[in-house]
Amino acid sequence: MLLREAAGLLLGAIAGSFLATVLIRWPQGRSALGGRSRCDSCEAPLGVRDLVPILSFAAARGRCRQCDARIDRRHLAIEIAAALIGLVALLAHPLPLAVISALLGWWLLLIAMLDVEQQWLPDRLTLPLIPLGLTAAWAGFGPPLLDRAIGAAIGWLVLALIAWAYRRLRGREGMGGGDPKLFAAIGAWLGIWQLPFVLLGAGLAGLAAILLMRLRGESVDATTRLPLGTLLAVAAWPLWLVVAVPVAGH
């Protein structure tokens, strides 16, 4: 069992290293796949000992060995978060469902971080989740396919209508165009019956975020915007762990 848990942590940390690179480079128009890994500050190529997730950061005390610049703390934070996702997925589900759960968790982690930092939910991340969720249902993982197909349609429709109504009543945008697409994707994974619980979880997470902002002395008023996509992603993955049903015989 310890070997299984260690594998979940290791694979998650490796996935997190890649996700952090995507998070930093993609908004800058840079590829996370091309060329050697380099320091974000001095562009010095990174060797093998610089690329061990979490451990390299700790060994270098969070600084580049070449220029002594501070390494972006997002690398460490996302590697730890992704490692925990890998661990929890393997503890919650048997193989191969655990792999699917981990992949979904890592995908949602990247979406959540992009929305926090860039207020951006790229179609290249949200839209593929819809057919992937339906394919997982067809393969027997999680709620029934029909529930998930309806969930995808209703998920998009509900948030699209809310965004339209807000725009008509207030005369300004209150929701990004990516939020309905993400909610549709979540519906394609969790099914229609879990969507109210996703909204409830997102609302509670939003209230917690506002409370934290107030405790930190930040101004909070009617114009304060919270990253809805992040809140939806944070609420969706734990629910998936609960509703996903292992394939019989696995």
Side-chain angles (χ1 to χ4, degrees):
M1 181 61 70
L2 288 177
L3 181 60
R4 176 188 175 95
E5 294 166 355
L9 287 169
L10 177 60
L11 291 174
I14 293 171
S17 180
F18 174 72
L19 294 178
T21 302
V22 174
L23 175 66
I24 293 170
R25 293 186 182 181
W26 193 3
Q28 299 173 353
R30 301 161 57 201
S31 172
L33 299 175
R36 291 186 58 182
S37 296
R38 297 178 179 272
C39 170
D40 293 325
S41 297
C42 68
E43 294 293 322
L46 301 180
V48 174
R49 66 174 176 168
D50 301 309
L51 297 173
V52 180
I54 302 175
L55 297 180
S56 291
F57 186 98
R61 298 182 179 181
R63 293 189 175 274
C64 172
R65 291 188 299 105
Q66 303 296 326
C67 67
D68 200 42
R70 292 184 64 182
I71 299 172
D72 194 316
R73 273 18 183 199
R74 287 176 292 181
H75 284 285
L76 179 63
I78 295 177
E79 286 170 4
I80 292 174
L84 292 175
I85 288 172
L87 173 63
V88 171
L90 279 170
L91 290 175
H93 295 149
L95 294 172
L97 176 58
V99 175
I100 295 172
S101 298
L103 290 172
L104 176 61
W106 295 331
W107 201 305
L108 290 174
L109 174 61
L110 179 57
I111 286 175
M113 292 305 300
L114 280 170
D115 199 29
V116 165
E117 295 192 356
Q118 307 294 332
Q119 295 77 54
W120 182 37
L121 295 174
D123 287 352
R124 290 169 65 181
L125 286 179
T126 57
L127 294 182
L129 273 181
I130 298 175
L132 287 173
L134 298 179
T135 300
W138 175 80
F141 298 104
L145 176 59
L146 180 59
D147 286 358
R148 288 157 77 162
I150 297 173
I154 296 299
W156 177 85
L157 183 61
V158 166
L159 288 197
L161 285 175
I162 291 175
W164 175 83
Y166 186 94
R167 187 167 56 249
R168 292 277 295 183
L169 292 173
R170 302 295 296 271
R172 58 186 173 89
E173 296 290 341
M175 184 186 301
D179 295 310
K181 298 171 187 175
L182 175 59
F183 203 39
I186 290 172
W189 281 87
L190 300 183
I192 183 173
W193 306 114
Q194 301 305 319
L195 292 183
F197 297 104
V198 174
L199 289 177
L200 175 61
L204 293 174
L207 290 175
I210 290 174
L211 177 60
L212 181 60
M213 292 169 66
R214 286 190 177 276
L215 291 175
R216 293 168 58 181
E218 299 179 26
S219 175
V220 178
D221 55 34
T223 62
T224 300
R225 300 189 67 175
L226 294 176
L228 179 58
T230 299
L231 300 176
L232 292 173
V234 167
W237 194 66
L239 275 173
W240 164 259
L241 295 179
V242 174
V243 304
V245 179
V247 175
H250 285 265

